[in-house]
Amino acid sequence: MGTAKGAATHPFVVHLRQVEALERDRWTAADEACTKAQDAIDQVRLQLADAERELAQAEQRRLIASERVSAAAEMIASAEDFLRDPTLDPADAQETRAADPPPDTRPPASDSRTLKELVLAAFTGTEVLSPAEVAPLVRVHRPKTTDKAVRSTLTTLRRDGALVLVERGSYRLPKHEERL
């Protein structure tokens, strides 16, 4: 049973064509919904990328601000140290602050020996000491003494003949025959 040209279409074929048109309309609506959802996702991704970029910039600004706050706090502490002890070189305040002993272990402030006397007192007999070994011994009596001040005093004492330079960065007391 074929259909002849111009013959009427069978009602079942008409129904199938209606179903096809309905499914095509549903596909078109679903395709438009997918396109809209993809556009929304693309916009959100762009916003997320912008937000991540802004976050990275904000974190960088926070890091810089943190470093600046830390530097300002160090400058304030250095200024406070300088105002308490004007003989302290502000550039060495950080170096001294790190090596300060706890406040309850400090000796009384009545120790009035000079820095030269304290440096010489660190040496006993023929031992050889470096500035890094002498500095803590001096700080027992003068807590605010910087490493730079100890090195400078060692150099002065060597020039004066009170100490002998054994090798670079190592000092000792002169032997008895060297003192004469």
Side-chain angles (χ1 to χ4, degrees), residues 37-91:
Q38 187 63 46
D39 288 344
I41 287 173
D42 290 343
Q43 287 177 354
V44 168
R45 283 184 178 148
L46 288 174
Q47 290 174 346
L48 178 61
D50 289 342
E52 286 175 338
R53 213 175 0 266
E54 288 176 21
L55 175 63
Q57 291 171 349
E59 286 175 341
Q60 182 67 25
R61 287 190 304 266
R62 181 174 61 181
L63 177 66
I64 291 169
S66 174
E67 290 174 359
R68 295 181 93 176
V69 165
S70 177
E74 287 179 17
M75 286 184 355
I76 290 169
S78 176
E80 288 172 343
D81 286 346
F82 178 75
L83 291 173
R84 277 193 293 271
D85 184 7
T87 62
L88 180 65
D89 182 6

Side-chain angles (χ1 to χ4, degrees), residues 64 142 180:
I64 291 169
R142 291 181 78 182
L180 300 174

Side-chain angles (χ1 to χ4, degrees), residues 72-150:
E74 287 179 17
M75 286 184 355
I76 290 169
S78 176
E80 288 172 343
D81 286 346
F82 178 75
L83 291 173
R84 277 193 293 271
D85 184 7
T87 62
L88 180 65
D89 182 6
D92 293 332
Q94 177 66 26
E95 185 178 306
T96 301
R97 214 176 2 269
D100 281 350
D104 57 337
T105 62
R106 291 184 179 175
S110 63
D111 194 349
S112 61
R113 292 189 285 177
T114 66
L115 185 55
K116 285 182 181 182
E117 291 170 335
L118 291 171
V119 168
L120 284 173
F123 289 89
T124 58
T126 59
E127 72 179 329
V128 176
L129 296 175
S130 68
E133 295 168 320
V134 174
L137 299 172
V138 170
R139 282 194 195 102
V140 169
H141 301 284
R142 291 181 78 182
K144 298 286 184 181
T145 305
T146 63
D147 288 346
K148 183 178 179 181
V150 171

